[in-house]
Amino acid sequence: MCEANAYLRQDGKEEIFMEMVDKVIPEADGLVLEDIFGRRKQIKAKIAELALVDHRIILERGQA
Amino acid sequence: MCEANAYLRQDGKEEIFMEMVDKVIPEADGLVLEDIFGRRKQIKAKIAELALVDHRIILERGQA
C-alpha cells in the first residue's frame, strides 16, 4: 500500500496528524484527510510538501 | 515504490504532467516536482488533491 503519514508543521516542528492517509481532498476552509480504512479527519490547513517515497505529507495551518 | 503520477487539472480535464513523482516542494511561485530518478520539473501550480493508493497527485494552475 502506498499510503503516507500526514504531519502538521508548526513553529518549525512537525507532529503527526494522521497515519495511513490515502486521500487528501480540498474543502471550503481546509482539507479532509481520509485514511486507508475510510476514516476521515478535517483540518484547516494546506498541503505544504510531499515526500512520497518517505511516506510523508506535510501540512501547514492556513487555508488551501 | 510509492511514487505517484502528477496530473494537471484544467477545464475539468486532467493531463499527465509528470510520472513517478517522489517529492513535491513548494517554491516562491509554484512547485518543484522531483521524480524517483531525481529529475525535476517546475510548474506554477498548487496541489489540489491527493489519492495515494491510486498513485495520483492532482495539480491546479495558480500559486500555492
Side-chain angles (χ1 to χ4, degrees):
Chain A
M1 294 291 275
C2 281
E3 77 286 355
N5 295 324
Y7 300 85
L8 182 62
R9 182 185 287 160
Q10 242 170 339
D11 304 321
K13 289 180 295 189
E14 288 167 7
E15 59 182 46
I16 184 82
F17 175 71
M18 193 179 195
E19 293 181 292
M20 293 182 284
V21 174
D22 171 16
K23 294 193 173 66
V24 181
I25 306 141
E27 293 239 312
D29 64 345
L31 300 170
V32 172
L33 279 70
E34 187 177 302
D35 72 11
I36 57 170
F37 307 107
R39 292 179 298 212
R40 288 180 162 218
K41 280 177 88 172
Q42 201 167 11
I43 184 170
K44 284 183 186 174
K46 58 188 172 71
I47 302 167
E49 199 172 325
L50 299 177
L52 297 179
V53 174
D54 293 337
H55 298 257
R56 284 164 55 83
I57 300 168
I58 308 297
L59 306 176
E60 276 174 356
R61 290 282 178 195
Q63 292 205 353
Chain B
M1 292 290 275
C2 281
E3 76 286 355
N5 295 324
Y7 300 86
L8 182 61
R9 182 185 288 161
Q10 242 170 339
D11 304 322
K13 288 180 294 189
E14 288 168 7
E15 59 182 45
I16 186 82
F17 174 71
M18 192 178 197
E19 293 180 292
M20 293 181 283
V21 174
D22 170 16
K23 293 192 172 67
V24 180
I25 305 141
E27 292 238 315
D29 64 346
L31 300 170
V32 173
L33 279 71
E34 187 178 302
D35 73 12
I36 58 170
F37 307 107
R39 292 180 298 212
R40 289 180 162 217
K41 279 179 89 172
Q42 201 167 10
I43 184 171
K44 285 183 185 172
K46 58 188 173 71
I47 303 166
E49 199 171 324
L50 300 177
L52 298 179
V53 173
D54 293 337
H55 299 256
R56 285 164 55 83
I57 300 169
I58 308 297
L59 306 175
E60 277 174 356
R61 289 281 178 195
Q63 291 206 351

